[in-house]
Amino acid sequence: MPRPGRNTYSDQKPPYSYISLTAMAIQSSPEKMLPLSEIYKFIMDRFPYYRENTQRWQNSLRHNLSFNDCFIKIPRRPDQPGKGSFWALHPSCGDMFENGSFLRRRKRFKVLKSDHLAPSKPADAAQYLQQQAKLRLSALAASGTHLPQMPAAAYNLGGVAQPSGFKHPFAIENIIAREYKMPGGLAFSAMQPVPAAYPLPNQLTSMGSSLGTGWPHVYGSAGMLDSATPISMASGDYSAYGVPLKPLCHAAGQTLPAIPVPIKPAPAAVPALPALPAPIPSLLSHSPPSLSPTSSQTATSQSSPATPSETLTSPASALLSVAVH
DNA sequence: TTCTGTTTACCAAAGG
DNA sequence: CCTTTGGTAAACAGAA
C-alpha cells in the first residue's frame, strides 16, 4: 500500500480538529453514520499521523464524540451485530465550519432540549435518520434509478438551526464532495442516496478504497488532484482546506454557496444496493417526501427551509437547535 | 478482557 | 484581558 516517494506531509498532523476528522469520516460514509471503529479506520487510512499513539488520539476522539452535541448516536439494530453504536452528524451542524477553518469551529454546537414539550432524545433524531434512510431505500427500490437526497439535507428541512435557509459552503459534505475524487476523476459526491439504513461492511470498505484521494497530507494520495480541482494545491501543504477555501467561498457572499455543490448522483460511487440485511420494509410505503433529486440547494436556497418535506414534520428538528454555549 | 462511551479536569491556543 | 474551543489524561461504567 505505501506509495513510495511522496509522504511529504503525510506524517504531519493534519490541520483538522477531531471534530472535523470525525465529521469527515461520517460524511464520507454512504449512510452518514459510522461505528467508532470505522471512524478510527477512516482517519488512520487517510492520515498516517494517526497511525501512532492510537491510545491517545482515540481517547480524545471518543471524548469529542460524547462531548459534542454535533454527534449523535444511533443504536444498532439487533440484526447489525457489532460493538458500539453508529455515530452520525447532527443534521444542523453543517455550518459548523462555516468560517472555513477546520481547526476551530465558529461556535460550539449545543442541543437545546425543549424541556417539557419533548421527546427530546437523541434516539428520536436517530430514528428519524434511520427512517429517512429507509424511505430513501424504498424509494430507490420503487423507482429503480431514482436518486434521493442525502438524509442530512432532508433532515435539515424545517430545522431550527438554519434560519436563513440553505447555506453552508463549508459544510463538511461539501468539502468532502469537493475533495474526494473517484479514480476516474469523477468527483465523489457526499450527497448520496441512502441505500440502507445501516452501513454494510462491504460498502464501507469499498468506499474507503475509493475515497482518500486528493488529500495533500494523506497517505498515498499524491498527484491525484486533477486540474478541475478548484483549489490549487500548488505549494501549501494543507491548501485543500486551508487558505484558499475561505476566500473562495466568502467572495461570493455568505448566503449562497460560491461553489456549486455536486449534487449529481455519481452513480459509479453508488454501491449498487446490495443485499440488505433486512428486507425492505414495505410498511414505509407512504410516499417519501421531498425526495426530489433535482436540487438540494437550488430549491432550498430560496424557499423556506421547511417547504419540501412538510410531510415529515421532523420530530428531531423541532427539538434540536444550535445555541451558543 | 477489550472495546465503547461518559465524564471531569487541566492546559494551551484562538478569538473577541 | 476574558471566554471559548480544542487536545489530552484519566477515572469510570457498561457492553460485547
Side-chain angles (χ1 to χ4, degrees):
Chain A
M1 247 350 204
R3 226 11 195 279
R6 212 165 125 61
N7 290 357
T8 333
Y9 340 94
S10 50
D11 290 14
Q12 296 175 17
K13 181 167 185 169
Y16 315 122
S17 65
Y18 290 119
I19 298 177
S20 307
L21 292 168
T22 308
M24 289 174 197
I26 292 172
Q27 277 297 323
S28 77
S29 77
E31 325 296 338
K32 312 300 174 207
M33 53 174 159
L34 285 179
L36 182 62
S37 57
E38 291 295 326
I39 298 175
Y40 290 161
K41 200 193 301 176
F42 177 95
I43 294 174
M44 293 175 78
D45 278 353
R46 286 156 189 78
F47 304 97
Y49 174 86
Y50 290 110
R51 289 172 194 171
E52 291 167 2
N53 302 314
T54 54
Q55 208 74 40
R56 197 198 314 176
W57 70 262
Q58 290 182 351
N59 181 25
S60 297
L61 191 138
R62 265 181 275 119
H63 163 255
N64 274 279
L65 280 173
S66 293
F67 185 71
N68 290 292
D69 287 338
C70 58
F71 300 113
I72 57 179
K73 216 170 42 166
I74 299 179
R76 280 179 193 263
R77 274 277 204 60
D79 52 302
Q80 283 282 328
K83 271 192 170 179
S85 312
F86 290 104
W87 288 95
L89 279 172
H90 188 290
S92 303
C93 70
D95 56 353
M96 258 195 323
F97 304 101
E98 208 172 38
N99 58 5
S101 168
F102 281 78
L103 278 171
R104 198 178 171 89
R105 287 173 300 175
R106 199 182 46 174
K107 65 187 166 202
R108 178 163 289 179
F109 203 77
K110 261 288 187 184
V111 169
L112 290 184
K113 299 188 175 198
S114 40
D115 0 334
H116 42 293
L117 239 188
S120 64
K121 279 120 199 154
D124 292 329
Q127 279 183 5
Y128 184 82
L129 254 180
Q130 292 169 4
Q131 198 183 20
Q132 282 298 303
K134 283 179 189 166
L135 285 174
R136 274 158 189 72
L137 180 57
S138 53
L140 238 182
S143 63
T145 58
H146 220 44
L147 294 171
Q149 293 177 348
M150 55 183 281
Y155 195 26
N156 245 341
L157 299 167
V160 191
Q162 302 215 332
S164 54
F166 177 88
K167 55 144 187 191
H168 30 86
F170 292 106
I172 324 110
E173 62 263 38
N174 291 358
I175 303 297
I176 293 179
R178 238 174 292 146
E179 286 307 309
Y180 284 149
K181 303 282 184 199
M182 298 301 288
L186 173 65
F188 162 67
S189 167
M191 306 280 220
Q192 282 202 10
V194 177
Y198 300 96
L200 304 167
N202 53 333
Q203 281 178 9
L204 293 177
T205 49
S206 74
M207 289 287 298
S209 61
S210 59
L211 296 176
T213 51
W215 296 66
H217 48 287
V218 161
Y219 195 64
S221 66
M224 290 316 293
L225 290 173
D226 58 69
S227 51
T229 307
I231 295 157
S232 161
M233 308 287 310
S235 52
D237 286 4
Y238 303 120
S239 47
Y241 292 154
V243 199
L245 271 180
K246 190 180 292 185
L248 244 180
C249 293
H250 279 340
Q254 296 266 25
T255 43
L256 289 176
I259 302 172
V261 179
I263 44 184
K264 55 169 105 172
V270 177
L273 195 45
L276 297 167
I280 303 168
S282 52
L283 46 109
L284 295 161
S285 48
H286 53 78
S287 66
S290 85
L291 288 184
S292 67
T294 46
S295 59
S296 63
Q297 27 175 282
T298 36
T300 43
S301 59
Q302 28 190 1
S303 62
S304 99
T307 333
S309 78
E310 233 109 62
T311 353
L312 286 173
T313 31
S314 136
S317 58
L319 52 98
L320 300 167
S321 64
V322 181
V324 194
H325 176 47

